Amino acid sequence: MGAGGRRVAADGGGGRTRTLSRNRVPHAVESAVDIKTRAPAEKSVRVRRVKATDIPQVVALDQQITGIGKAEYWRDLYARYGKRRLAERFFFVAEPSGKRAGKNILGFVIGEIRAWEFGSAPCGWVFAMSVDPDTRLHGVGKSLLDAISFEFRKAGVSKMRTMVARDNRLHLLFFRSQEMAAGPYLQLEKELD
Amino acid sequence: MKLQVSTRLAIFALLHLAGRPDEQLSVSDIGDKYGISSHHLAKVMHALGRAGLVRAVRGARGGYQFSGNASRTTLLDVVQLFEDWASPHAISGIDGRTNEAWALSKVVAEIDEIAQATLGSITIATMLKLIDRRRHEQKRST
C-alpha cells in the first residue's frame, strides 16, 4: 500500500473469493464444454468444466496460495459442484489453450446460482477463485470470471456477487478491475462467547 | 466521508491526464475543465510530481503528463498524499478515555476501514473504465 509522498504501486491478478434463478434454470451446460467457444475469453486460455483428474492440481494450487492443504474439502466441492446440478453450479478450470492444453491448471473458479438468501432475488455467487501466481496478469482470472458470468447470464440471472476480505487487496483489486462494486448488503458478525 | 479539495483536484487531474496518455496538458488546460484556479492546481500537480504520478514536460507545447502506472495506482495512494489518514483516531479526533468515546471511536474506525479498503481497491485504470462506460451510456441515451 502506498503512503504519502512516495511513488505507489498496487497489484492485480487472480482472486479468491460465493444464490437460483426465478424459474428452473435450463440444463444447458454439459459436463465438459469449451467455454471459450461461447464466452469472451483470453485467446491463450481455455476454460472448461472441472474433471476428477484436475482435483489434485486444484488442491496443489490452493495449498500453494493459502499454505493449507485441504484435499478433502476440494474433493467434496468437486462432488457437489463438479458433478451435480450442473445447470446452476459451475466449477471451471483454466488451462493453456493449444499444444499444452490439459497439461496444467492455471486457475479455477467455483460459483452457483442461489435465490432468496438474505431476501435476495436469484443471483450468481462466486465463492472460490484462484489463479496460479506465476500466470497472473495474463488474463486467466478475467477468462474464468467471464466464463462463469456467461453461464450465470445464460441461466437467467443478471447479477453476480462475491465476498472478499477487506484486507485482501489483491482480490479486491481484481474484482474491482472487472467492474464489480460494493453491493447493497453489509456483512456482520460477532464473537460468540 | 468528505475529501479535501486538493484530494479531489488531484484525482480529477490524474484521471484527466491518464485518459490522455499521449498529450501534455498545462495546469490551465486542466483547471479550465474543472473550474479550478491554476494557483491551487499548480500546488497539487507539484505534489503529484513528487510522488512520481505526473511528469512536467518542458517546451513550447509543454505541460504535464501522467507518469504513474494506471493499473497499479489506487485512489487510496492519491488520497494519502493529501489527507492525514495515519490512524482512525487521527481521522476522527476522538479521545478514547471514556467508554462512550471508545464505543464511538470503534464505529468510526469501522467506517474508516471500509473507506480505506474501498479506495485501496480502485485503481486509476478501473476509474477510467467506469468513466468510459458512463460515456458510452450517455452516447446511447442521446
Side-chain angles (χ1 to χ4, degrees):
Chain A
M1 189 85 57
R6 288 198 298 276
R7 192 172 186 124
V8 288
D11 223 329
R16 153 189 300 265
T17 43
R18 191 177 181 192
T19 307
L20 271 177
S21 74
R22 210 164 286 110
N23 308 304
R24 297 303 303 163
V25 289
H27 290 272
V29 182
E30 306 82 43
S31 61
V33 278
D34 183 353
I35 304 299
K36 184 185 167 235
T37 59
R38 303 185 305 182
E42 298 297 313
K43 280 180 186 156
S44 58
V45 178
R46 178 176 179 263
V47 176
R48 60 166 171 80
R49 286 267 187 193
V50 69
K51 293 186 246 181
T53 50
D54 299 323
I55 297 305
Q57 288 184 74
V58 169
V59 173
L61 176 56
D62 174 63
Q63 185 163 2
Q64 182 189 356
I65 292 166
T66 66
I68 306 168
K70 313 185 267 295
E72 193 52 44
Y73 169 74
W74 290 109
R75 276 197 292 268
D76 179 54
L77 278 186
Y78 170 67
R80 289 188 288 134
Y81 291 88
K83 295 199 287 190
R84 293 206 298 258
R85 295 167 64 185
L86 298 181
E88 62 207 40
R89 291 179 173 180
F90 310 102
F91 187 162
F92 294 150
V93 295
E95 61 183 4
S97 62
K99 271 200 291 192
R100 288 171 60 225
K103 293 284 181 195
N104 55 326
I105 299 302
L106 306 175
F108 61 86
V109 66
I110 313 178
E112 69 178 325
I113 299 169
R114 303 177 84 172
W116 312 121
E117 290 173 339
F118 318 109
S120 164
C123 74
W125 272 92
V126 172
F127 66 86
M129 186 169 180
S130 216
V131 172
D132 180 349
D134 294 336
T135 61
R136 286 181 186 167
L137 299 175
H138 289 89
V140 176
K142 181 182 184 319
S143 296
L144 286 163
L145 204 62
D146 283 348
I148 203 163
S149 310
F150 182 84
E151 297 301 326
F152 285 150
R153 270 196 302 270
K154 199 159 64 100
V157 298
S158 57
K159 197 165 296 272
M160 176 167 68
R161 292 195 171 119
T162 191
M163 192 147 62
V164 188
R166 228 160 34 208
D167 60 357
N168 192 332
R169 196 154 180 259
L170 183 69
H171 299 163
L172 275 172
L173 281 163
F174 170 71
F175 286 111
R176 286 284 191 177
S177 75
Q178 300 306 304
E179 301 184 59
M180 292 186 80
Y185 293 92
L186 276 176
Q187 179 247 327
L188 302 173
E189 63 183 32
K190 72 177 280 192
E191 294 295 332
L192 299 174
D193 302 325
Chain B
M1 181 193 176
K2 193 162 165 50
L3 295 173
Q4 292 185 44
V5 176
S6 298
T7 310
R8 280 181 280 147
L9 294 186
I11 293 170
F12 290 157
L14 284 177
L15 292 174
H16 194 83
L17 291 170
R20 298 160 182 79
D22 301 326
E23 295 176 30
Q24 283 113 45
L25 298 160
S26 69
V27 165
S28 58
D29 288 334
I30 304 166
D32 287 348
K33 174 164 180 184
Y34 300 102
I36 309 161
S37 86
S38 294
H39 179 68
H40 197 162
L41 191 56
K43 284 185 182 170
V44 168
M45 298 308 286
H46 186 65
L48 292 175
R50 275 202 320 257
L53 296 173
V54 297
R55 171 177 52 226
V57 181
R58 294 176 193 279
R61 299 188 59 192
Y64 281 98
Q65 233 178 358
F66 180 70
S67 60
N69 183 330
S71 302
R72 291 176 176 241
T73 304
T74 68
L75 292 182
L76 183 64
D77 295 328
V78 183
V79 169
Q80 285 178 326
L81 295 173
F82 300 93
E83 314 265 344
D84 179 17
W85 273 19
S87 71
H89 292 283
I91 301 157
S92 62
I94 293 169
D95 183 335
R97 277 177 297 189
T98 65
N99 289 340
E100 290 77 7
W102 171 84
L104 183 55
S105 71
K106 198 168 155 58
V107 174
V108 172
E110 183 181 317
I111 296 168
D112 181 56
E113 270 182 42
I114 294 170
Q116 291 210 24
T118 302
L119 291 168
S121 70
I122 303 173
T123 62
I124 295 293
T126 299
M127 288 291 281
L128 292 176
K129 237 188 235 184
L130 285 176
I131 294 164
D132 211 36
R133 176 178 280 257
R134 167 95 169 146
R135 212 172 271 142
H136 283 299
E137 284 169 357
Q138 285 172 329
K139 226 179 242 176
R140 247 186 280 139
S141 64
T142 52

